[in-house]
Amino acid sequence: MNEPNDATGPISVSRSRLPRSTLWRYGIGSLGTGGFATLPGLVLVYYLTDTLGVTALVAGLILTISKIWDVVIDPVIGGRSDFSLVRSGSRRRFMTIGGVALPVFFVLTFAVVPGLAPAASAIWVTVAFILCASSFSLFQVPYIALPAELTRRYDERTRLLTWRVVVLTVAILLFGAGGPLLRDLFPDDPYLGYLVMAIVAGVILGTGMLLSSTVAPRNVPEPETRPTASLVQNYRGGIRALIRSQPFRALLATYMLQGLATGMMLAGAQYVATWVLRSETAVTLLFVALIAPALLLTPAWGGIAKRIGKERGYWFASIIFFIASASLVMLMWSPGWWIFVPVAVAGAAYAGMQALPMAMLPDVISHDAERHGEGRAGVFGGLWTAGETAGMAFGATALTIMLAITGYQESVGVAVVSQSDAAITGIVLSFSVVPAIAMLLSLITLSRYRLRRADIEPEEN
């Protein structure tokens, strides 16, 4: 059916069951989103500190700068995406530009010339990664907005996002395990190893994004509608969305805190493998332990949500992840391969922590549109992307602060260094206690989310 909307123009929103072609074309985009969230989060800090010789604090500053830039531009991209939908009838143009540009800048991020001074290397990575993050936002922001426009049904959104998270978990496994394996094929030349890794990953990232861009609905724009918005108006739109939608504030705060927790653990995994388990390649096994349960149980979380509600399922997943992450503090006293058990439990919970809030977001968007008579899916998508990337980045930044405080020693190329007991303790705390605290805080914000099925489909109750 076609429903006019004063901010986004006519949008075809289905009340029927989504075809499989829509599910897979939307889901394949998570090869790009999941891969980009995983691989830089896993190896970029380690690349900076243990190959380029950049200090931990500077490495953290690089990530912080890039994510502050994300926070600045994502609401603007969201607003522009909404207006592009009115002008052209589709968000596809933004997604396509992002899918083409991201692989180029991703490769440049890991193509630092050997022999550069750490300061010059830091500048190179900062510029390249900001351009890379900007390209990612051009795809991610409209991609996040699409579920609210593809279907109106509460359970169909869960089904759509469950497929997406299945692909997301595959992407995390593919990039999280495969990326370091590619890099480690060149142990005597880490610069070449990272470059090969980036080229292969960039091709896969771009392919997934470009294929997924074809799912964006194409509608006939209204010729008389030619809205424009200034930079200030785009930010005002985002601020209004935050102020008026309490469910969005609660969901976004929860997701940001959990992004901080998972971002810190993701960035710390390589350090745990190298300095706690004493096996640099163990990071691949850690990812297999994390993702195998997630891949198997993602559909189960969709069934749980259908039975008890998305928000209750999200509660259970978050509590399980909190317990699993807190238990990892035992690495301080007994490092060993038992770590794979709590990591696997965390992986099972992580599937729910991804699928359910993503399925709740389009409910928030449509609920806001019903109450306020305007569709601002792009604005909400921009705010969500900014919050998600900021949470993940600040998790990595928090790790670098812990490393600096506890005296972690950086290195250049294949140089060998040793770490103090204090530095190793900092690594363990960054992988367990600190993420667990962030998860505990996220349960408080999640308790403030009160949107239920009856608010989305009142006619069925």
Side-chain angles (χ1 to χ4, degrees):
M1 62 183 282
N2 291 329
E3 296 190 356
N5 194 303
D6 63 355
T8 58
I11 301 172
S12 179
V13 184
S14 173
R15 287 186 178 272
S16 60
R17 189 171 175 84
L18 291 171
R20 286 187 177 272
S21 61
T22 298
L23 297 180
W24 80 257
R25 282 190 297 152
Y26 183 74
I28 200 70
S30 283
L31 270 182
T33 62
F36 184 75
T38 300
L39 194 53
L42 175 65
V43 303
L44 186 56
V45 172
Y46 193 73
Y47 172 61
L48 287 163
T49 61
D50 285 51
T51 296
L52 304 182
V54 177
T55 64
L57 281 180
V58 173
L61 181 62
I62 290 172
L63 292 178
T64 301
I65 291 172
S66 67
K67 296 315 173 184
I68 288 175
W69 175 247
D70 275 343
V71 172
V72 170
I73 66 169
D74 285 348
V76 177
I77 291 175
R80 295 297 182 184
S81 174
D82 284 335
F83 289 121
S84 178
L85 181 63
V86 175
R87 292 190 182 97
S88 66
S90 179
R91 301 182 189 272
R92 188 175 300 184
R93 179 168 64 93
F94 277 70
M95 298 173 71
T96 301
I97 293 172
V100 170
L102 184 138
V104 176
F105 296 123
F106 189 82
V107 171
L108 286 176
T109 300
F110 293 96
V112 176
V113 177
L116 279 185
S121 298
I123 294 171
W124 178 311
V125 173
T126 301
V127 174
F129 194 60
I130 285 176
L131 292 172
C132 193
S134 301
S135 303
F136 176 72
S137 292
L138 286 172
F139 174 85
Q140 170 81 340
V141 171
Y143 181 69
I144 290 292
L146 287 182
E149 299 168 2
L150 292 173
T151 180
R152 295 178 61 88
R153 296 180 61 189
Y154 180 88
D155 288 329
E156 277 302 285
R157 288 170 180 166
T158 303
R159 179 168 168 254
L160 176 66
L161 272 300
T162 297
W163 274 71
R164 177 191 168 186
V165 174
V166 168
V167 179
L168 181 71
T169 54
V170 171
I172 294 172
L173 178 60
L174 179 65
F175 287 89
L181 282 178
L182 280 174
R183 176 200 63 192
D184 294 341
L185 291 176
F186 306 89
D188 297 327
D189 190 349
Y191 292 93
L192 179 60
Y194 277 107
L195 180 59
V196 170
M197 177 201 75
I199 292 172
V200 174
V203 171
I204 299 173
L205 290 170
T207 300
M209 290 177 169
L210 291 174
L211 287 175
S212 188
S213 68
T214 64
V215 81
R218 284 187 179 274
N219 301 285
V220 179
E222 297 179 358
E224 69 276 11
T225 305
R226 290 291 183 271
T228 59
S230 67
L231 188 65
V232 173
Q233 288 173 322
N234 282 318
Y235 285 117
R236 284 178 178 171
I239 293 171
R240 284 197 301 270
L242 277 174
I243 292 174
R244 74 191 186 196
S245 179
Q246 188 279 332
F248 182 70
R249 293 196 304 273
L251 188 62
L252 180 62
T254 301
Y255 203 66
M256 284 184 67
L257 285 166
Q258 295 188 353
L260 189 152
T262 55
M264 198 168 189
M265 295 179 73
L266 179 65
Q270 182 70 76
Y271 293 93
V272 169
T274 302
W275 298 108
V276 179
L277 299 181
R278 299 293 175 178
S279 171
E280 190 166 323
T281 58
V283 68
T284 297
L285 299 178
L286 284 174
F287 264 83
V288 172
L290 177 72
I291 299 308
L295 188 60
L296 292 173
L297 293 177
T298 294
W301 284 111
I304 291 171
K306 190 171 184 179
R307 178 178 292 271
I308 66 174
K310 301 173 191 178
E311 68 289 336
R312 290 181 181 174
Y314 192 17
W315 259 97
F316 288 137
S318 301
I319 291 171
I320 293 170
F321 192 94
F322 162 72
I323 295 171
S325 60
S327 70
L328 292 170
V329 72
M330 294 301 296
L331 286 169
M332 290 181 60
W333 300 283
S334 180
W337 298 103
W338 60 266
I339 187 179
F340 293 115
V341 175
V343 166
V345 173
Y350 182 73
M353 288 165 51
Q354 288 294 303
L356 300 179
M358 288 180 186
M360 292 156 72
L361 177 61
D363 294 339
V364 170
I365 294 172
S366 62
H367 178 258
D368 179 80
E370 288 290 334
R371 293 185 64 190
H372 298 283
E374 61 174 309
R376 303 292 291 178
V379 170
F380 279 101
L383 292 170
W384 183 266
T385 301
E388 178 184 11
T389 55
M392 292 287 289
F394 290 140
T397 301
L399 169 68
T400 62
I401 292 172
M402 285 288 289
L403 293 179
I405 291 173
T406 54
Y408 186 85
Q409 297 296 312
E410 63 276 359
S411 60
V412 177
V414 294
V416 178
V417 298
S418 61
Q419 303 298 339
S420 65
D421 290 342
I424 294 175
T425 297
I427 292 171
V428 173
L429 293 177
S430 300
F431 198 68
S432 57
V433 173
V434 180
I437 292 172
M439 288 299 302
L440 190 60
L441 293 173
S442 77
L443 294 174
I444 298 173
T445 57
L446 182 57
S447 68
R448 298 181 58 80
Y449 181 87
R450 300 185 179 92
L451 203 60
R452 300 294 184 265
R453 180 193 294 269
D455 299 305
I456 308 302
E457 295 180 344
E459 72 278 3
E460 295 187 5
N461 291 275

